[in-house]
Structure formats: structure tokens, C-alpha cells
Amino acid sequence: QVQVVESGGGLVQAGGSLRLSCVASGSIFSRNYMGWYRQVPGKQRELVATVTTDGNTNYADSVKGRFAISRDNAKSSIYLQMNSLKPEDTGVYYCRFTDYRTYWGQGTQVTVSS
């Protein structure tokens, strides 16, 4: 079993910054990838950014150049630095952990006011 816990959401004005954190704990396979996804009411959950244990990253086009994902393998943690936030970045941000299984965190709300 793997537990995934996010933190760091909140309310910020457009143009501001937030940093999200996620930690995975439990029985973790060494090769895995973790990522951030977001969801707004009435829409499907969408990819924001992912990072592998080798450090390979992938970003949604809408966040390239503004968001940066990083990880600390020793802590089984990932981070999402979000800069130049826009109102359309508002949503619940979920952390996903995948090795040969997939686990999701409970989500953290990010609200960007205009």
C-alpha cells in the first residue's frame, strides 16, 4: 500500500506564485513516476506535469514556462513551483504516484483570483 499526501494549495492573485508538495510513503517500487494533475468541476482531470525517477519531465502546453516540477528521490517527494499564475489555473491539484500500481492523493485546492 502507498499513501500519497499533497500540501501547499491556497488562494493567490493572478501573477502570483504557489508551491505544491507531495510525498509518497509505504511500499514503493524504486522505479516510478509521479505527477500533478488538476480538475475543475464538470471537466476531466488533466495532466499538469510529471517527473520520473530519472528526472525526465513532461508538461502540459498550458503551463510550460510557468510551472516547474522537481523531485527528491530520497524523500519520495515531488514539488510543483507555479509562477505567473492565471485564473484558469484554478482547480483541485492531485498528486499521482505510479510504479506498477497507481495511487492518488486527496487533492489540494488552488484558487487564482483575477
Side-chain angles (χ1 to χ4, degrees), residues 5 12 24 42 50 57 67 97 112:
V5 179
V12 65
T50 62
T57 59
F67 291 10
F97 171 90
V112 184

Short mmCIF file of all heavy atoms in Angstrom, two decimals, residues 5 12 24 42 50 57 67 97 112:
data_model
loop_
_atom_site.label_atom_id
_atom_site.label_comp_id
_atom_site.label_asym_id
_atom_site.label_seq_id
_atom_site.Cartn_x
_atom_site.Cartn_y
_atom_site.Cartn_z
N VAL A 5 0.25 12.16 -0.12
CA VAL A 5 -0.28 13.33 0.59
C VAL A 5 0.25 14.60 -0.05
O VAL A 5 1.45 14.78 -0.19
CB VAL A 5 0.10 13.29 2.07
CG1 VAL A 5 -0.44 14.53 2.79
CG2 VAL A 5 -0.43 12.02 2.73
N VAL A 12 -4.43 32.81 -4.28
CA VAL A 12 -3.39 33.74 -4.71
C VAL A 12 -3.95 34.61 -5.83
O VAL A 12 -4.85 34.18 -6.56
CB VAL A 12 -2.13 32.98 -5.18
CG1 VAL A 12 -2.42 32.15 -6.42
CG2 VAL A 12 -0.96 33.92 -5.40
N ALA A 24 5.09 10.52 -1.09
CA ALA A 24 4.58 9.15 -1.16
C ALA A 24 5.29 8.31 -0.11
O ALA A 24 6.51 8.43 0.06
CB ALA A 24 4.78 8.56 -2.54
N GLY A 42 -16.99 19.59 -13.53
CA GLY A 42 -17.56 19.37 -14.85
C GLY A 42 -16.58 18.99 -15.92
O GLY A 42 -16.97 18.76 -17.07
N THR A 50 4.62 15.80 -15.03
CA THR A 50 5.08 14.55 -14.44
C THR A 50 6.61 14.52 -14.43
O THR A 50 7.27 15.24 -15.20
CB THR A 50 4.58 13.31 -15.20
OG1 THR A 50 5.08 13.34 -16.54
CG2 THR A 50 3.06 13.26 -15.23
N THR A 57 10.98 14.94 -17.41
CA THR A 57 9.78 15.70 -17.11
C THR A 57 8.88 15.84 -18.34
O THR A 57 9.33 15.73 -19.48
CB THR A 57 10.12 17.11 -16.60
OG1 THR A 57 10.90 17.79 -17.60
CG2 THR A 57 10.91 17.04 -15.31
N PHE A 67 5.43 26.77 -14.88
CA PHE A 67 5.48 25.79 -13.80
C PHE A 67 6.77 24.97 -13.93
O PHE A 67 7.25 24.72 -15.04
CB PHE A 67 4.30 24.83 -13.87
CG PHE A 67 2.96 25.44 -13.55
CD1 PHE A 67 2.78 26.81 -13.43
CD2 PHE A 67 1.85 24.62 -13.38
CE1 PHE A 67 1.53 27.36 -13.13
CE2 PHE A 67 0.60 25.13 -13.09
CZ PHE A 67 0.45 26.50 -12.98
N PHE A 97 0.97 8.88 -7.94
CA PHE A 97 2.16 8.03 -7.83
C PHE A 97 1.91 6.77 -8.62
O PHE A 97 0.87 6.12 -8.44
CB PHE A 97 2.44 7.69 -6.37
CG PHE A 97 3.51 6.66 -6.21
CD1 PHE A 97 4.84 7.03 -6.10
CD2 PHE A 97 3.20 5.30 -6.20
CE1 PHE A 97 5.85 6.08 -5.98
CE2 PHE A 97 4.20 4.34 -6.07
CZ PHE A 97 5.51 4.74 -5.97
N VAL A 112 -6.95 30.97 -8.07
CA VAL A 112 -6.26 32.17 -8.56
C VAL A 112 -7.31 33.22 -8.89
O VAL A 112 -8.16 33.02 -9.76
CB VAL A 112 -5.41 31.86 -9.80
CG1 VAL A 112 -4.63 33.09 -10.23
CG2 VAL A 112 -4.47 30.68 -9.54
#
